[in-house]
Coordinates of all heavy atoms in Angstrom, one line a residue:
M1333 N 4.0 2.4 17.8 CA 4.1 3.6 17.1 C 4.6 4.7 18.1 O 4.3 4.7 19.2 CB 2.7 4.0 16.5 CG 2.8 5.1 15.6 SD 1.2 5.3 14.7 CE 1.0 7.0 14.9
N1334 N 5.3 5.7 17.5 CA 5.8 6.7 18.4 C 4.7 7.8 18.6 O 3.6 7.6 18.2 CB 7.0 7.4 17.7 CG 6.8 7.9 16.4 OD1 5.7 8.4 16.1 ND2 7.8 7.9 15.5
S1335 N 5.0 8.8 19.3 CA 3.9 9.8 19.7 C 3.6 10.8 18.6 O 2.8 11.7 18.9 CB 4.4 10.5 21.0 OG 5.6 11.2 20.7
H1336 N 4.1 10.6 17.4 CA 3.8 11.6 16.4 C 2.4 11.4 15.9 O 1.8 10.4 16.0 CB 4.7 11.3 15.2 CG 6.1 11.7 15.4 ND1 7.1 10.9 15.9 CD2 6.8 12.9 15.2 CE1 8.2 11.5 16.1 NE2 8.1 12.7 15.6
F1337 N 1.8 12.5 15.4 CA 0.5 12.5 14.9 C 0.3 11.5 13.7 O 1.2 11.4 12.9 CB 0.2 13.9 14.3 CG -1.1 14.0 13.6 CD1 -2.3 14.1 14.3 CD2 -1.1 14.0 12.2 CE1 -3.5 14.1 13.6 CE2 -2.3 14.1 11.5 CZ -3.5 14.2 12.2
C1338 N -0.8 10.8 13.7 CA -1.1 9.8 12.7 C -2.1 10.4 11.8 O -3.1 10.9 12.2 CB -1.6 8.5 13.3 SG -2.0 7.3 12.0
P1339 N -1.8 10.4 10.5 CA -2.8 11.0 9.5 C -4.0 10.1 9.4 O -4.0 8.9 9.6 CB -2.0 11.0 8.2 CG -1.0 9.9 8.3 CD -0.6 9.9 9.8
D1340 N -5.1 10.8 9.1 CA -6.4 10.1 8.9 C -6.4 9.2 7.6 O -5.6 9.4 6.7 CB -7.5 11.1 8.7 CG -7.9 11.8 9.9 OD1 -7.6 11.4 11.0 OD2 -8.6 12.9 9.8
I1341 N -7.2 8.2 7.6 CA -7.5 7.4 6.4 C -8.4 8.2 5.5 O -9.4 8.7 5.9 CB -8.1 6.1 6.8 CG1 -7.2 5.3 7.7 CG2 -8.6 5.3 5.6 CD1 -7.8 4.0 8.3
V1342 N -8.0 8.3 4.3 CA -8.8 9.0 3.3 C -9.5 8.0 2.3 O -10.6 8.3 1.8 CB -8.1 10.1 2.5 CG1 -7.7 11.2 3.4 CG2 -6.9 9.6 1.7
K1343 N -8.9 6.8 2.2 CA -9.5 5.8 1.3 C -9.0 4.5 1.8 O -7.9 4.3 2.2 CB -9.0 6.1 -0.1 CG -9.7 5.2 -1.2 CD -9.2 5.6 -2.6 CE -9.8 4.7 -3.6 NZ -9.4 5.0 -4.9
I1344 N -9.9 3.5 1.7 CA -9.5 2.1 2.1 C -10.4 1.1 1.3 O -11.5 1.4 1.0 CB -9.8 1.9 3.7 CG1 -9.2 0.5 4.1 CG2 -11.2 2.1 4.0 CD1 -9.1 0.4 5.6
N1345 N -9.7 0.1 0.9 CA -10.3 -1.0 0.1 C -9.9 -2.3 0.6 O -8.7 -2.5 1.0 CB -9.9 -0.9 -1.4 CG -10.4 0.4 -2.0 OD1 -11.6 0.7 -2.0 ND2 -9.5 1.2 -2.5
A1346 N -10.8 -3.3 0.6 CA -10.4 -4.6 1.0 C -9.7 -5.3 -0.2 O -10.0 -5.0 -1.3 CB -11.7 -5.4 1.3
C1347 N -8.7 -6.0 0.2 CA -7.9 -6.8 -0.8 C -8.1 -8.3 -0.5 O -8.7 -8.6 0.5 CB -6.4 -6.5 -0.7 SG -6.0 -4.7 -0.9
G1348 N -7.5 -9.1 -1.3 CA -7.5 -10.6 -1.0 C -6.9 -10.9 0.3 O -6.1 -10.2 0.9
N1349 N -7.2 -12.1 0.8 CA -6.5 -12.6 2.0 C -6.6 -11.8 3.2 O -5.7 -11.6 4.0 CB -5.0 -13.0 1.7 CG -4.9 -14.0 0.6 OD1 -5.7 -14.9 0.5 ND2 -3.9 -13.8 -0.3
Y1350 N -7.8 -11.1 3.4 CA -8.0 -10.3 4.6 C -7.0 -9.2 4.8 O -6.6 -8.9 5.9 CB -8.1 -11.2 5.9 CG -9.2 -12.2 5.7 CD1 -8.9 -13.6 5.5 CD2 -10.5 -11.9 5.9 CE1 -9.9 -14.5 5.3 CE2 -11.5 -12.8 5.7 CZ -11.2 -14.1 5.4 OH -12.2 -15.1 5.3
S1351 N -6.7 -8.5 3.7 CA -5.8 -7.4 3.8 C -6.6 -6.1 3.3 O -7.6 -6.3 2.6 CB -4.6 -7.5 2.9 OG -3.8 -8.5 3.4
V1352 N -6.2 -5.0 3.7 CA -6.7 -3.7 3.3 C -5.6 -2.9 2.7 O -4.5 -2.9 3.2 CB -7.5 -3.0 4.4 CG1 -8.8 -3.7 4.8 CG2 -6.6 -2.7 5.6
Q1353 N -6.0 -2.1 1.6 CA -5.1 -1.1 1.1 C -5.6 0.2 1.6 O -6.8 0.6 1.4 CB -5.1 -1.1 -0.4 CG -4.2 0.0 -1.0 CD -4.1 -0.1 -2.5 OE1 -4.0 -1.2 -3.1 NE2 -4.1 1.0 -3.1
V1354 N -4.7 1.0 2.3 CA -5.1 2.2 3.0 C -4.4 3.4 2.4 O -3.1 3.3 2.3 CB -4.9 2.1 4.5 CG1 -5.5 3.2 5.2 CG2 -5.4 0.7 5.0
E1355 N -5.1 4.4 2.1 CA -4.4 5.7 1.7 C -4.7 6.7 2.8 O -5.8 6.9 3.2 CB -5.1 6.2 0.4 CG -4.4 7.5 -0.1 CD -5.0 8.1 -1.3 OE1 -5.6 7.3 -2.1 OE2 -4.8 9.3 -1.6
F1356 N -3.6 7.2 3.3 CA -3.6 8.2 4.4 C -3.5 9.6 3.9 O -3.0 9.9 2.8 CB -2.5 7.9 5.4 CG -2.6 6.6 6.1 CD1 -2.0 5.4 5.6 CD2 -3.3 6.5 7.3 CE1 -2.2 4.2 6.2 CE2 -3.4 5.3 7.9 CZ -2.9 4.1 7.4
A1357 N -3.9 10.5 4.7 CA -4.0 11.9 4.4 C -2.6 12.5 4.0 O -2.5 13.5 3.3 CB -4.6 12.8 5.5
D1358 N -1.5 11.9 4.5 CA -0.2 12.3 4.2 C 0.4 11.8 2.9 O 1.5 12.0 2.5 CB 0.8 12.0 5.3 CG 1.1 10.5 5.5 OD1 0.4 9.7 4.8 OD2 1.9 10.1 6.3
G1359 N -0.5 11.0 2.1 CA -0.1 10.5 0.8 C 0.4 9.0 0.9 O 0.6 8.4 -0.1
E1360 N 0.7 8.5 2.1 CA 1.2 7.2 2.2 C 0.1 6.2 1.8 O -1.1 6.4 2.2 CB 1.6 6.9 3.7 CG 2.9 7.5 4.2 CD 4.1 6.8 3.7 OE1 4.1 5.5 3.5 OE2 5.2 7.4 3.6
I1361 N 0.5 5.2 1.1 CA -0.4 4.1 0.8 C 0.2 2.8 1.3 O 1.4 2.5 1.1 CB -0.6 3.9 -0.7 CG1 -1.3 5.2 -1.2 CG2 -1.5 2.7 -1.0 CD1 -1.4 5.3 -2.8
K1362 N -0.6 2.1 2.1 CA -0.1 0.9 2.8 C -1.0 -0.3 2.7 O -2.2 -0.1 2.5 CB 0.2 1.2 4.3 CG 1.2 2.3 4.6 CD 1.5 2.4 6.1 CE 2.6 3.5 6.3 NZ 3.4 3.2 7.4
I1363 N -0.5 -1.5 2.7 CA -1.2 -2.7 2.8 C -1.1 -3.2 4.2 O 0.0 -3.4 4.7 CB -0.7 -3.7 1.7 CG1 -0.9 -3.2 0.3 CG2 -1.5 -5.1 2.0 CD1 -2.3 -3.3 -0.2
C1364 N -2.2 -3.6 4.8 CA -2.2 -4.1 6.1 C -3.0 -5.4 6.2 O -4.1 -5.5 5.8 CB -2.8 -3.1 7.1 SG -2.6 -3.6 8.8
D1365 N -2.3 -6.5 6.6 CA -2.9 -7.8 6.7 C -3.6 -7.9 8.1 O -3.0 -7.7 9.1 CB -1.8 -8.8 6.7 CG -2.2 -10.3 6.8 OD1 -3.5 -10.5 6.9 OD2 -1.4 -11.2 6.8
L1366 N -4.9 -8.1 8.0 CA -5.7 -8.2 9.2 C -6.2 -9.7 9.5 O -7.0 -9.9 10.3 CB -7.0 -7.4 9.1 CG -6.7 -5.9 8.9 CD1 -8.0 -5.1 8.7 CD2 -6.0 -5.3 10.1
S1367 N -5.5 -10.7 8.8 CA -5.9 -12.1 9.0 C -5.7 -12.5 10.4 O -6.4 -13.4 10.9 CB -5.2 -13.0 8.0 OG -3.8 -12.9 8.2
D1368 N -4.8 -11.9 11.2 CA -4.6 -12.3 12.6 C -5.7 -11.9 13.5 O -5.8 -12.3 14.6 CB -3.2 -11.8 13.1 CG -3.1 -10.3 13.1 OD1 -3.9 -9.6 12.4 OD2 -2.3 -9.8 13.9
H1369 N -6.6 -11.1 13.0 CA -7.8 -10.6 13.8 C -9.0 -11.6 13.7 O -9.9 -11.5 14.4 CB -8.3 -9.3 13.2 CG -7.4 -8.1 13.6 ND1 -6.1 -8.0 13.3 CD2 -7.7 -7.0 14.4 CE1 -5.6 -6.9 13.8 NE2 -6.6 -6.3 14.5
L1370 N -8.9 -12.6 12.8 CA -10.0 -13.5 12.6 C -10.5 -14.3 13.8 O -11.6 -14.8 13.8 CB -9.7 -14.5 11.4 CG -9.5 -13.9 10.0 CD1 -9.1 -14.9 9.1 CD2 -10.7 -13.1 9.6
E1371 N -9.7 -14.4 14.8 CA -10.1 -15.2 16.0 C -10.2 -14.3 17.2 O -10.3 -14.8 18.3 CB -9.0 -16.3 16.2 CG -8.9 -17.3 15.1 CD -10.2 -18.1 14.8 OE1 -11.0 -18.3 15.8 OE2 -10.4 -18.4 13.7
R1372 N -10.3 -13.0 17.0 CA -10.3 -12.1 18.1 C -11.7 -11.4 18.3 O -12.1 -10.6 17.4 CB -9.3 -10.9 17.9 CG -7.9 -11.4 17.9 CD -7.0 -10.2 17.8 NE -5.6 -10.6 17.7 CZ -4.6 -9.8 17.3 NH1 -4.9 -8.5 17.1 NH2 -3.4 -10.2 17.2
G1373 N -12.4 -11.8 19.3 CA -13.7 -11.1 19.7 C -14.6 -10.7 18.6 O -15.0 -11.5 17.8
V1374 N -14.9 -9.4 18.5 CA -15.9 -8.9 17.5 C -15.3 -9.0 16.1 O -16.1 -9.0 15.2 CB -16.2 -7.4 17.8 CG1 -16.9 -7.2 19.1 CG2 -15.0 -6.5 17.7
F1375 N -14.0 -9.2 15.9 CA -13.5 -9.3 14.6 C -13.7 -10.7 14.0 O -13.4 -10.9 12.8 CB -12.0 -9.0 14.6 CG -11.7 -7.6 15.1 CD1 -11.1 -7.3 16.3 CD2 -12.0 -6.5 14.3 CE1 -10.8 -6.0 16.7 CE2 -11.8 -5.2 14.7 CZ -11.2 -4.9 15.9
K1376 N -14.2 -11.6 14.7 CA -14.4 -13.0 14.1 C -15.4 -12.9 12.9 O -15.3 -13.7 12.1 CB -15.0 -13.9 15.2 CG -14.0 -14.3 16.2 CD -14.6 -15.3 17.3 CE -13.6 -15.6 18.3 NZ -14.2 -16.6 19.3
V1377 N -16.2 -11.9 12.9 CA -17.1 -11.7 11.8 C -16.3 -11.4 10.5 O -16.9 -11.6 9.4 CB -18.1 -10.6 12.1 CG1 -17.5 -9.2 12.1 CG2 -19.3 -10.6 11.1
F1378 N -15.1 -11.1 10.6 CA -14.2 -10.9 9.4 C -14.1 -12.2 8.5 O -13.8 -12.1 7.4 CB -12.8 -10.4 9.7 CG -12.7 -9.0 10.1 CD1 -11.5 -8.5 10.5 CD2 -13.8 -8.1 10.1 CE1 -11.3 -7.1 10.8 CE2 -13.7 -6.8 10.4 CZ -12.4 -6.3 10.8
K1379 N -14.4 -13.3 9.1 CA -14.3 -14.6 8.4 C -15.3 -14.6 7.2 O -15.1 -15.3 6.2 CB -14.6 -15.8 9.3 CG -13.5 -16.0 10.3 CD -13.9 -17.2 11.2 CE -12.9 -17.4 12.3 NZ -13.2 -18.5 13.2
D1380 N -16.4 -13.8 7.4 CA -17.3 -13.6 6.3 C -16.7 -12.6 5.3 O -16.7 -11.4 5.6 CB -18.7 -13.1 6.8 CG -19.7 -12.8 5.8 OD1 -19.4 -12.8 4.6 OD2 -20.9 -12.6 6.2
K1381 N -16.2 -13.0 4.2 CA -15.5 -12.1 3.3 C -16.4 -11.0 2.8 O -15.9 -9.9 2.5 CB -14.9 -12.9 2.2 CG -13.6 -13.7 2.6 CD -12.9 -14.2 1.5 CE -11.6 -14.9 2.0 NZ -10.8 -15.4 0.9
D1382 N -17.7 -11.3 2.6 CA -18.6 -10.2 2.2 C -18.7 -9.1 3.2 O -18.7 -7.9 2.8 CB -20.0 -10.8 1.9 CG -20.1 -11.7 0.6 OD1 -19.2 -11.5 -0.3 OD2 -20.9 -12.6 0.6
F1383 N -18.7 -9.5 4.5 CA -18.7 -8.5 5.5 C -17.3 -7.7 5.5 O -17.3 -6.5 5.6 CB -18.9 -9.1 6.9 CG -18.9 -8.1 8.0 CD1 -20.1 -7.3 8.2 CD2 -17.8 -7.8 8.7 CE1 -20.0 -6.3 9.2 CE2 -17.8 -6.9 9.7 CZ -18.9 -6.1 10.0
F1384 N -16.2 -8.5 5.4 CA -14.9 -7.9 5.4 C -14.8 -6.8 4.3 O -14.2 -5.7 4.5 CB -13.8 -8.9 5.3 CG -12.4 -8.3 5.4 CD1 -11.9 -8.1 6.6 CD2 -11.7 -8.1 4.3 CE1 -10.6 -7.5 6.8 CE2 -10.4 -7.5 4.4 CZ -9.9 -7.2 5.6
N1385 N -15.4 -7.1 3.2 CA -15.3 -6.2 2.0 C -16.1 -4.9 2.2 O -16.0 -4.0 1.4 CB -15.8 -6.9 0.8 CG -14.8 -8.0 0.4 OD1 -13.6 -8.0 0.7 ND2 -15.3 -9.0 -0.4
L1386 N -16.9 -4.8 3.3 CA -17.7 -3.6 3.5 C -16.9 -2.5 4.1 O -17.4 -1.4 4.3 CB -18.8 -3.9 4.5 CG -19.9 -4.9 4.0 CD1 -20.9 -5.2 5.1 CD2 -20.6 -4.3 2.8
V1387 N -15.6 -2.7 4.3 CA -14.7 -1.7 5.0 C -14.8 -0.3 4.2 O -14.9 -0.3 3.0 CB -13.3 -2.1 5.1 CG1 -12.6 -2.3 3.8 CG2 -12.5 -1.2 6.0
H1388 N -14.8 0.7 4.9 CA -14.8 2.1 4.3 C -14.2 3.0 5.3 O -14.0 2.7 6.5 CB -16.2 2.5 3.9 CG -17.2 2.6 5.1 ND1 -17.8 1.5 5.6 CD2 -17.6 3.7 5.8 CE1 -18.6 1.9 6.6 NE2 -18.5 3.2 6.7
A1389 N -13.8 4.2 4.8 CA -13.2 5.2 5.7 C -14.3 6.1 6.2 O -15.2 6.6 5.5 CB -12.2 6.1 4.9
E1390 N -14.3 6.4 7.5 CA -15.3 7.2 8.2 C -14.6 7.9 9.3 O -14.1 7.3 10.2 CB -16.5 6.4 8.7 CG -17.7 7.1 9.2 CD -18.8 6.2 9.5 OE1 -19.2 5.4 8.6 OE2 -19.3 6.3 10.6
H1391 N -14.7 9.3 9.3 CA -14.0 10.1 10.3 C -12.6 9.7 10.6 O -12.1 9.7 11.7 CB -14.8 10.0 11.7 CG -16.3 10.3 11.5 ND1 -16.7 11.6 11.2 CD2 -17.4 9.6 11.6 CE1 -18.0 11.6 11.2 NE2 -18.4 10.4 11.4
G1392 N -11.9 9.3 9.5 CA -10.5 9.1 9.5 C -10.1 7.7 10.0 O -8.9 7.4 10.1
A1393 N -11.1 6.8 10.2 CA -10.8 5.4 10.7 C -11.3 4.4 9.7 O -12.1 4.8 8.8 CB -11.4 5.2 12.0
A1394 N -10.9 3.2 9.8 CA -11.4 2.1 9.0 C -12.7 1.5 9.7 O -12.6 1.1 10.9 CB -10.4 1.0 8.9
V1395 N -13.8 1.5 9.0 CA -15.1 1.2 9.7 C -15.8 0.1 8.9 O -15.8 0.1 7.6 CB -16.0 2.4 9.8 CG1 -17.3 2.1 10.3 CG2 -15.3 3.5 10.6
W1396 N -16.4 -0.8 9.6 CA -17.2 -1.9 8.9 C -18.7 -1.7 9.3 O -19.5 -1.8 8.4 CB -16.8 -3.3 9.4 CG -15.5 -3.7 8.7 CD1 -15.5 -4.5 7.6 CD2 -14.2 -3.4 9.0 NE1 -14.2 -4.7 7.2 CE2 -13.4 -4.0 8.0 CE3 -13.6 -2.6 10.0 CZ2 -12.0 -3.9 8.1 CZ3 -12.2 -2.5 10.0 CH2 -11.4 -3.2 9.1
N1397 N -19.0 -1.4 10.5 CA -20.3 -1.0 10.9 C -20.3 -0.2 12.2 O -19.2 0.2 12.6 CB -21.2 -2.3 11.1 CG -20.7 -3.3 12.2 OD1 -20.0 -2.9 13.1 ND2 -21.1 -4.5 12.1
E1398 N -21.4 -0.1 12.9 CA -21.4 0.8 14.1 C -20.6 0.2 15.2 O -20.3 0.9 16.2 CB -22.9 0.9 14.6 CG -23.9 1.4 13.6 CD -24.4 0.3 12.7 OE1 -24.7 -0.8 13.2 OE2 -24.6 0.6 11.5
E1399 N -20.3 -1.1 15.2 CA -19.6 -1.8 16.3 C -18.1 -2.1 16.0 O -17.3 -2.3 16.9 CB -20.3 -3.1 16.7 CG -21.7 -2.9 17.1 CD -22.5 -4.2 17.3 OE1 -21.8 -5.3 17.1 OE2 -23.6 -4.1 17.6
I1400 N -17.8 -2.1 14.7 CA -16.4 -2.6 14.4 C -15.7 -1.5 13.6 O -16.1 -1.1 12.5 CB -16.5 -3.9 13.6 CG1 -17.2 -5.0 14.4 CG2 -15.1 -4.3 13.2 CD1 -17.4 -6.2 13.7
D1401 N -14.5 -1.1 14.1 CA -13.6 -0.2 13.4 C -12.2 -0.4 13.9 O -12.0 -1.2 14.9 CB -14.0 1.3 13.7 CG -14.0 1.7 15.1 OD1 -13.1 1.3 15.9 OD2 -14.9 2.5 15.5
I1402 N -11.3 0.1 13.2 CA -9.9 0.0 13.5 C -9.2 1.4 13.4 O -9.4 2.0 12.3 CB -9.1 -1.1 12.6 CG1 -9.7 -2.5 12.9 CG2 -7.6 -1.0 12.9 CD1 -9.0 -3.6 12.1
A1403 N -8.5 1.8 14.4 CA -7.9 3.1 14.4 C -6.9 3.2 13.3 O -6.2 2.3 13.0 CB -7.3 3.4 15.7
P1404 N -6.7 4.4 12.7 CA -5.7 4.6 11.7 C -4.3 4.4 12.2 O -3.4 3.9 11.5 CB -5.9 6.1 11.3 CG -6.6 6.7 12.4 CD -7.5 5.6 13.0
E1405 N -4.1 4.6 13.5 CA -2.7 4.4 14.1 C -2.3 2.9 13.9 O -1.1 2.7 13.6 CB -2.7 4.8 15.6 CG -2.9 6.2 15.9 CD -4.4 6.7 15.9 OE1 -5.3 5.8 15.7 OE2 -4.6 7.9 16.2
Y1406 N -3.2 2.0 14.2 CA -2.9 0.6 14.0 C -2.5 0.3 12.6 O -1.5 -0.4 12.3 CB -4.1 -0.3 14.5 CG -3.7 -1.8 14.3 CD1 -3.1 -2.5 15.3 CD2 -4.0 -2.4 13.1 CE1 -2.8 -3.8 15.2 CE2 -3.7 -3.8 13.0 CZ -3.1 -4.4 14.0 OH -2.7 -5.8 13.9
L1407 N -3.3 0.7 11.6 CA -3.0 0.4 10.2 C -1.7 1.1 9.7 O -1.0 0.5 9.0 CB -4.2 0.8 9.4 CG -5.5 0.1 9.7 CD1 -6.7 0.7 8.9 CD2 -5.4 -1.4 9.5
Y1408 N -1.5 2.3 10.2 CA -0.3 3.0 9.8 C 1.0 2.3 10.4 O 2.0 2.2 9.6 CB -0.3 4.5 10.4 CG 0.5 5.4 9.6 CD1 0.1 6.0 8.4 CD2 1.8 5.8 10.1 CE1 0.9 6.9 7.8 CE2 2.6 6.7 9.4 CZ 2.1 7.3 8.2 OH 2.9 8.2 7.6
E1409 N 0.9 1.9 11.6 CA 2.0 1.2 12.2 C 2.3 -0.2 11.6 O 3.4 -0.6 11.4 CB 1.8 1.1 13.7 CG 3.0 0.4 14.4 CD 2.8 0.3 15.9 OE1 1.8 1.0 16.5 OE2 3.5 -0.4 16.6
H1410 N 1.2 -1.0 11.4 CA 1.4 -2.3 11.0 C 1.3 -2.5 9.5 O 1.6 -3.6 9.0 CB 0.3 -3.2 11.6 CG 0.5 -3.3 13.1 ND1 -0.1 -2.4 14.0 CD2 1.2 -4.2 13.8 CE1 0.2 -2.8 15.2 NE2 1.0 -3.8 15.2
G1411 N 1.0 -1.5 8.7 CA 0.9 -1.6 7.3 C 2.3 -1.6 6.6 O 3.3 -1.0 7.2
I1412 N 2.4 -2.1 5.4 CA 3.6 -2.1 4.6 C 3.4 -1.1 3.5 O 2.4 -1.1 2.7 CB 3.9 -3.5 4.0 CG1 4.1 -4.5 5.1 CG2 5.0 -3.4 3.0 CD1 4.1 -5.9 4.6
T1413 N 4.3 -0.1 3.5 CA 4.2 1.0 2.5 C 4.4 0.4 1.1 O 5.3 -0.3 0.8 CB 5.3 2.1 2.8 OG1 5.0 2.6 4.1 CG2 5.2 3.2 1.8
I1414 N 3.5 0.8 0.2 CA 3.6 0.4 -1.2 C 3.9 1.5 -2.2 O 4.0 1.3 -3.4 CB 2.4 -0.4 -1.7 CG1 1.1 0.5 -1.6 CG2 2.2 -1.7 -0.8 CD1 -0.1 -0.2 -2.3
N1415 N 4.0 2.8 -1.7 CA 4.3 3.9 -2.6 C 5.6 4.6 -2.2 O 6.1 4.4 -1.1 CB 3.2 4.8 -2.8 CG 2.9 5.6 -1.5 OD1 3.2 5.2 -0.4 ND2 2.4 6.8 -1.7

């Protein structure tokens, strides 16, 4: 991603196949596939789909619990715009 400001996440929902639909403060809506995270460190817990579905927006980031979050910059850069 370039050095431009990344807008906060205002809404996020889990979708099928370990993807999230993310609405950013600038109005962009993107789908981001997180399935490649299933074998990475703390993200292995994503294999539990009930846990994965707990995703919510908190302080502009994607959050699952006190230990697991993903920065909006990652989702903005790797997401596919759907609007």
Side-chain angles (χ1 to χ4, degrees):
M1333 189 168 133
N1334 58 33
S1335 63
H1336 289 90
F1337 171 78
C1338 178
D1340 286 344
I1341 295 169
V1342 295
K1343 185 176 180 183
I1344 187 166
N1345 295 303
C1347 304
N1349 300 322
Y1350 300 103
S1351 293
V1352 289
Q1353 180 175 318
V1354 189
E1355 181 179 338
F1356 293 91
D1358 67 354
E1360 287 280 331
I1361 299 175
K1362 298 186 178 210
I1363 298 284
C1364 189
D1365 179 3
L1366 298 176
S1367 62
D1368 63 337
H1369 285 62
L1370 296 176
E1371 299 300 328
R1372 295 183 187 171
V1374 298
F1375 297 112
K1376 288 180 182 181
V1377 71
F1378 283 178
K1379 291 178 184 179
D1380 177 349
K1381 286 189 177 188
D1382 289 333
F1383 181 82
F1384 185 80
N1385 291 338
L1386 294 175
V1387 66
H1388 61 280
E1390 189 173 305
H1391 303 293
V1395 176
W1396 282 263
N1397 64 19
E1398 306 83 38
E1399 300 173 3
I1400 301 174
D1401 59 39
I1402 295 179
E1405 294 85 357
Y1406 179 88
L1407 299 173
Y1408 202 85
E1409 180 179 348
H1410 291 93
I1412 297 170
T1413 301
I1414 61 170
N1415 69 330

